[in-house]
Amino acid sequence: MAKPLQILEGVASRIDGSDLSVTSIDVQSQDEMGRLARTFETMAGNLRNLVKKIDTSSELVAASAEEMTASVDQSSQAANQVAGSILDVSKGIQEQLIGANDTSTVVQQMSAGIQQRILLPTHRYMLYLNLDSYHTLLTKAR
């Protein structure tokens, strides 16, 4: 009983030290020690498979992370291009607004000039007619 227990203790110690290369344990009995040895073999095999799956999964995660980083970089570049385009459009709108304001000022000045050229003579003529009418009334009243 002591020999199988020492063998199982050695195997447990190897597994504890991350040595999962254990594939068979040299305990041939069919009693509790034999069943415990087979359970240790199965446990070591399951741990090996689990480590392989974790290794594969970590590689997939690393590859996905690289792809995501590339995607984020592309998205960032696209966002910068859109921001640049928006800035260009904004500058264009500002320039158009300045041009529209300048045009409005010129049209107002032209309108004022036209009103002076049209209305001033009209006012003078109306004043003349009013003075003439006043003069006619004064002449009639005498």
Side-chain angles (χ1 to χ4, degrees):
M1 178 86 131
K3 179 82 171 151
L5 193 54
Q6 288 174 345
I7 292 172
L8 288 174
E9 181 184 10
V11 170
S13 189
R14 286 174 54 193
I15 291 172
D16 182 48
S18 300
D19 179 4
L20 301 177
S21 64
V22 177
T23 56
S24 72
I25 301 172
D26 190 25
V27 175
Q28 303 300 326
S29 66
Q30 299 300 320
D31 60 2
E32 293 86 9
M33 286 299 167
R35 288 193 301 271
L36 188 57
R38 301 299 78 76
T39 302
F40 266 81
E41 290 171 354
T42 303
M43 181 179 65
N46 289 341
L47 287 172
R48 273 192 309 276
N49 290 336
L50 182 61
V51 168
K52 286 178 186 176
K53 287 179 183 178
I54 290 171
D55 187 46
T56 301
S57 295
S58 67
E59 288 175 7
L60 290 173
V61 168
S64 294
E66 285 182 28
E67 289 175 10
M68 288 177 69
T69 300
S71 178
V72 166
D73 288 344
Q74 289 175 349
S75 295
S76 176
Q77 289 174 359
N80 286 337
Q81 288 176 348
V82 168
S85 296
I86 289 172
L87 186 61
D88 291 344
V89 167
S90 174
K91 286 178 183 177
I93 289 171
Q94 287 176 337
E95 291 171 1
Q96 288 179 355
L97 181 61
I98 290 169
N101 285 338
D102 291 347
T103 302
S104 175
T105 301
V106 169
V107 168
Q108 287 175 353
Q109 290 170 351
M110 288 174 58
S111 175
I114 290 170
Q115 286 178 356
Q116 285 180 351
R117 287 194 176 103
I118 291 175
L119 293 180
L120 190 59
T122 303
H123 286 302
R124 284 182 187 157
Y125 181 70
M126 294 295 280
L127 183 61
Y128 171 76
L129 288 179
N130 283 338
L131 286 176
D132 189 45
S133 296
Y134 180 71
H135 180 61
T136 303
L137 283 174
L138 281 179
T139 305
K140 286 184 184 177
R142 287 188 190 162

